[in-house]
Amino acid sequence: MIEPFDDTYFMKKALQEAEVAYEKGEIPVGAIVVVENRIIARGHNLTEQLVDVTAHAEMQAITSASNFLGGKYLQNCTMYVTLEPCQMCAGALYWSQISKIVYGARDKERGFINMNTKLHPKTEVVGGVLAGEASEILKRFFIQRRNLN
């Protein structure tokens, strides 16, 4: 049994957001922002729906969390995201001064780690949480997309 309020618990919530994106025909990436064991923001990819290449799950969650907190800094917050953030999202997370990022699957092509993008020096990063589940939804999405074309 999963203990409440651990990284696995919150990553499952981010995976629920990825499923919402999947159902909308968006690349299934989900993100949540947590402060003091409370989810304050949710986001999933909306790039197709909004016709906006910047409408990544992380960007949606950052905006929502900032609105909730009434400020631009996400200190003492943790973002759970199903896929390693890209360079753009890592830059936004840098500027938000988020305290911790927990991601599921690695993105070896477009992820911030391979791009050598720096995060805020105080940001902790944890990777690989429920990576199998996060990879599976992406694989399922792209298989379905290939079969439709």
Side-chain angles (χ1 to χ4, degrees):
M1 180 167 175
I2 297 170
E3 291 296 318
F5 310 131
D6 66 1
D7 287 346
T8 302
Y9 173 83
F10 287 119
M11 187 60 74
K12 285 184 181 240
K13 299 298 185 185
L15 284 164
Q16 289 173 353
E17 287 298 312
E19 288 288 348
V20 172
Y22 184 97
E23 294 301 320
K24 292 180 177 181
E26 299 277 356
I27 295 175
V29 177
I32 64 166
V33 177
V34 174
V35 63
E36 296 177 1
N37 289 322
R38 179 177 174 203
I39 298 171
I40 62 166
R42 297 174 184 272
H44 55 270
N45 274 356
L46 290 172
T47 59
E48 299 297 327
Q49 184 176 336
L50 298 179
V51 193
D52 179 357
V53 297
T54 69
H56 289 194
E58 299 95 325
M59 303 298 271
Q60 303 302 310
I62 289 168
T63 299
S64 181
S66 294
N67 288 336
F68 179 89
L69 294 170
K72 62 185 178 180
Y73 297 119
L74 302 182
Q75 295 160 333
N76 303 314
C77 294
T78 299
M79 175 175 283
Y80 293 85
V81 59
T82 58
L83 183 65
E84 175 190 344
C86 70
Q87 190 170 9
M88 174 188 70
C89 293
L93 288 162
Y94 174 96
W95 290 110
S96 78
Q97 298 182 18
I98 196 155
S99 296
K100 184 176 179 182
I101 301 167
V102 179
Y103 68 86
R106 282 282 317 270
D107 186 344
K108 293 178 183 173
E109 289 183 35
R110 295 180 184 92
F112 79 95
I113 293 170
N114 278 359
M115 300 285 198
N116 293 318
T117 304
K118 302 297 180 203
L119 295 171
H120 192 274
K122 293 182 181 178
T123 300
E124 177 186 354
V125 177
V126 176
V129 176
L130 297 181
E133 290 88 333
S135 294
E136 177 57 35
I137 190 172
L138 288 162
K139 287 176 189 170
R140 191 169 22 111
F141 176 81
F142 286 111
I143 288 169
Q144 179 187 34
R145 183 171 251 180
R146 276 194 298 271
N147 289 336
L148 293 175
N149 293 329

